Amino acid sequence: MNIVVCVKQIPDPATPGSLDASTNALKREGKLILDESDGYGVEMALQLAAAAGGGDVSIVSMAPNGETSGMRTALAMGASKGVLVSDPSLAGSDALTTAKVLAGAIRTMGSVDLVIAATESSDGYTGTVPEQLAEVLGLPSVTFAKKVEVSGSTLKADRQTESGYDEVECPLPALISVTAGVVEPRYPSFKGIMAAKSKPIETKTAADVGVTAGGWGGAGQKIVTVAQAEARKAGEIVEDDGNAAAKIVSYLENLKVI
Amino acid sequence: MALNSIWVFAQAANGAPTPGTLELLTKARALTSNVAAFVGGDAGPIAASLGDHGATTVYATGDLAGRLPGPAVSAAMKAVIDGGSAPDAIFFPQNYEGRDIMARLSVKLDRTVLTNSIDVAHTADGTVATTPIFGGNVLVTTAFTGAGPHLVSFRPKSFAAESSGGAAATVVAAPVPDTGATGAAKVLGVHVEQSSGPKLDEADVVVSGGRGLGEAGKYQLVEDLAGLLKGAAGASRAIVDAGWVPYSYQVGQTGKVVKPNVYIAAGISGATQHMVGMKGSKNIIAINKDKEAPIFGVADLGIVGDVHKVLPQLIEALKGR
């Protein structure tokens, strides 16, 4: 079974985000890391390929400046190769363009049985790319999957809903987006990290994947204003001296909650 | 371009429109008198309520017969648009169905999307939507630069639902055309996770637990306290990812947005991811042993203490009342 996992390389979430003063875009400079949400998809792919008795797990990403450090993490986990689309013309691209770019890249990767993505990225979190990607590729999809099994050419998944979950069956080829916690991502081994250094990552331009109107111009949207939200005032902070519970009770009484 | 006609993707639960649906209809009718609801299913039981919140027309696909809403409802919308009834904007709730339908439709129409919005307006810049970023500390307003329909999704509780006193909406059939391979996924079974007490995003009191609880078994303290306060139990992403509680408990940027009267955060440090989902609460009580925890920056009452001591004491005190 051939599986492609879409991964995003993002600024380290531990460092506060900031906007570029001239474009109002999220700054994505410095070292990028593999979005934590994508570890689940990579792990899921490795497990499904193993369960199917073999197959290839590849990764695809779109990033500025030829950045591959996050992709190396996925390769260290066990993916075999990657395709990166990196092109200055794609800076400022919206989710729809991102989906078109990923679709174009996936089309260059031969026969694919399953495409896996996270439900949304941790930095931009537009949250539509997986389903847009499925539509561009003309594939059925099971989004927000929290349990996935493949038997032959049929995929079965539990899909998160507002009130619980649906059991969904879908023929391959297909796309799934997986929720955090669907599997426990493995830590790359030292051997895996060393091996990842020599695994192939093919870098492509926007034109290579057939996207000519990406970036700010093709986004169909522009940022008009950026403003500070009204800050919430901090209240009373007390150290627990054994009376904290009583303090909370009287606070709730004042609000007439109890 | 103007914002003369708006569709709202409408959802129903237990025979009534969802609160989010009524919120979006209320906002839509403040922008234009030409508001339609688009239902993925049968409209009959909810047409009156949709009309009472501003919809004059209800497009209904009829029973989806096990098809997933993403491909099916977007195809039905595309068919109505191709038939000459394109709206200027379509509003979606920021949830599973809303996101999937909007995403599929955006490709079919080749239109961009603006998601996670909390407000929308028509200004000199055209249709503009406001989105909170960086944990809600910064508000970004973005304009659509291309032709409509403009596709926007909104976080829950962005607007207050109000009745308009309108008559029942006219129901128009909008059948799902052949979706080919894209519609090949089928729902085999529907599972409703029963939770006692009010729903997380509708509860008056929410008690959430985080990593500070230490272990999965201690989450029971959060459930017990929520039960005593007739509230709902929630969770930070950290303990959802750790598998302590299901995703449906998650409060935050990628979970549910809650705005209860009282929010109690137990053992939650206050990562941006979490704060986005709860800082709109009226009164916030935080219990955390780290006095530097960011959650204390938004707390009305902050207790620097051990949740393993404070929660049992609080539960005992409430039981004794």
Side-chain angles (χ1 to χ4, degrees):
Chain A
M1 184 158 69
N2 293 328
I3 306 176
V4 174
V5 186
C6 303
V7 300
K8 189 169 183 184
Q9 304 174 92
I10 64 169
D12 191 338
T15 58
S18 62
L19 298 179
D20 183 289
S22 60
T23 63
N24 278 326
L26 195 61
K27 278 192 188 170
R28 290 194 169 91
E29 55 201 25
K31 191 182 173 208
L32 302 180
I33 64 167
L34 180 69
D35 188 334
E36 198 184 25
S37 312
D38 292 326
Y40 303 99
V42 174
E43 179 63 39
M44 180 98 259
L46 294 170
Q47 289 187 14
L48 289 175
D56 183 62
V57 175
S58 308
I59 54 170
V60 61
S61 190
M62 172 175 130
N65 308 324
E67 182 67 53
T68 60
S69 53
M71 293 177 79
R72 294 285 170 205
T73 304
L75 295 175
M77 287 175 71
S80 70
K81 61 182 190 299
V83 172
L84 169 69
V85 184
S86 192
D87 193 318
S89 76
L90 293 174
S93 290
D94 65 344
L96 179 56
T97 303
T98 305
K100 290 176 183 173
V101 166
L102 293 174
I106 290 168
R107 287 196 186 105
T108 69
M109 297 169 80
S111 150
V112 173
D113 300 302
L114 182 63
V115 179
I116 303 182
T119 57
E120 66 260 311
S121 65
S122 303
D123 61 343
Y125 60 92
T126 305
T128 54
V129 170
E131 188 75 339
Q132 287 172 318
L133 176 56
E135 182 72 16
V136 176
L137 290 171
L139 292 177
S141 60
V142 184
T143 45
F144 311 104
K146 56 176 200 167
K147 184 181 159 204
V148 184
E149 287 169 5
V150 173
S151 163
S153 61
T154 304
L155 177 142
K156 274 192 182 176
D158 289 350
R159 177 179 183 270
Q160 190 78 45
T161 63
E162 299 303 319
S163 53
Y165 66 94
D166 288 349
E167 280 173 67
V168 182
E169 188 176 83
C170 182
L172 298 179
L175 176 144
I176 57 172
S177 72
V178 294
T179 61
V182 66
V183 283
E184 185 66 36
R186 69 193 66 185
Y187 286 102
S189 64
F190 179 71
K191 206 176 141 195
I193 293 167
M194 295 313 288
K197 291 184 199 286
S198 57
K199 286 180 178 174
I201 294 180
E202 194 181 343
T203 301
K204 294 181 183 294
T205 64
D208 289 341
V209 298
V211 174
T212 50
W216 298 108
Q221 51 176 269
K222 68 163 198 270
I223 293 172
V224 183
T225 60
V226 175
Q228 290 296 317
E230 203 179 316
R232 202 185 161 103
K233 284 196 188 76
E236 185 191 1
I237 311 292
V238 295
E239 299 260 357
D240 179 23
D241 55 0
N243 294 316
K247 181 116 193 153
I248 294 172
V249 168
S250 80
Y251 184 84
L252 293 173
E253 277 174 343
N254 281 338
L255 294 175
K256 300 194 180 354
V257 172
I258 53 173
Chain B
M1 68 180 276
L3 203 49
N4 292 328
S5 70
I6 299 173
W7 288 358
V8 170
F9 170 59
Q11 294 171 292
N14 305 319
T18 59
T21 299
L22 301 181
E23 290 159 20
L24 295 188
L25 284 173
T26 305
K27 181 62 188 183
R29 76 168 197 260
L31 295 166
T32 176
S33 58
N34 189 357
V35 176
F38 205 110
V39 179
D42 291 316
I46 58 170
S49 178
L50 295 173
D52 185 45
H53 286 80
T56 52
T57 303
V58 178
Y59 294 102
T61 62
D63 186 19
L64 292 180
R67 284 173 290 203
L68 289 179
V73 178
S74 63
M77 286 180 165
K78 174 74 161 46
V80 176
I81 290 167
D82 287 348
S85 300
D88 295 322
I90 309 179
F91 294 175
F92 297 88
Q94 186 75 31
N95 59 26
Y96 307 121
E97 293 190 1
R99 285 165 62 177
D100 278 2
I101 296 165
M102 180 170 67
R104 290 266 179 187
L105 188 62
S106 101
V107 176
K108 290 181 196 296
L109 301 175
D110 200 24
R111 294 287 184 275
T112 194
V113 298
L114 290 178
T115 66
N116 294 291
S117 309
I118 57 166
D119 201 3
V120 61
H122 189 71
T123 71
D125 291 307
T127 306
V128 299
T130 303
T131 308
I133 63 167
F134 299 152
N137 296 324
V138 176
L139 297 175
V140 175
T141 302
T142 309
F144 287 92
T145 56
H150 294 145
L151 310 179
V152 196
S153 64
F154 296 90
R155 289 178 173 277
K157 305 194 181 182
S158 294
F159 314 108
E162 282 168 36
S163 161
S164 65
T170 311
V171 178
V172 177
V176 178
D178 181 16
T179 50
T182 61
K186 288 278 176 293
V187 177
L188 302 180
V190 175
H191 296 258
V192 176
E193 282 167 355
Q194 293 293 348
S195 64
S196 52
K199 286 172 75 174
L200 185 54
D201 49 1
E202 294 167 16
D204 199 41
V205 176
V206 172
V207 184
S208 287
R211 189 76 86 174
L213 290 168
E215 55 179 296
K218 297 288 185 206
Y219 188 77
Q220 189 61 41
L221 292 169
V222 170
E223 304 230 46
D224 289 349
L225 181 57
L228 285 164
L229 294 171
K230 298 182 180 60
S236 70
R237 176 173 169 170
I239 71 167
V240 172
D241 284 0
W244 295 5
V245 292
Y247 180 65
S248 55
Y249 282 60
Q250 187 172 316
V251 173
Q253 181 169 290
T254 52
K256 295 218 163 57
V257 175
V258 302
K259 292 186 178 180
N261 181 23
V262 178
Y263 188 87
I264 302 180
I268 292 176
S269 63
T272 292
Q273 147 75 235
H274 186 74
M275 302 264 246
V276 175
M278 47 64 76
K279 64 190 254 177
S281 306
K282 230 175 193 170
N283 301 284
I284 298 173
I285 302 173
I287 309 161
N288 200 296
K289 65 175 190 281
D290 174 12
K291 67 172 190 285
E292 305 295 330
I295 192 81
F296 289 128
V298 300
D300 299 290
L301 175 61
I303 305 291
V304 182
D306 185 352
V307 288
H308 302 105
K309 286 184 187 150
V310 178
L311 287 184
Q313 285 170 6
L314 184 54
I315 287 165
E316 279 312 305
L318 292 171
K319 272 184 183 162
R321 294 171 66 87

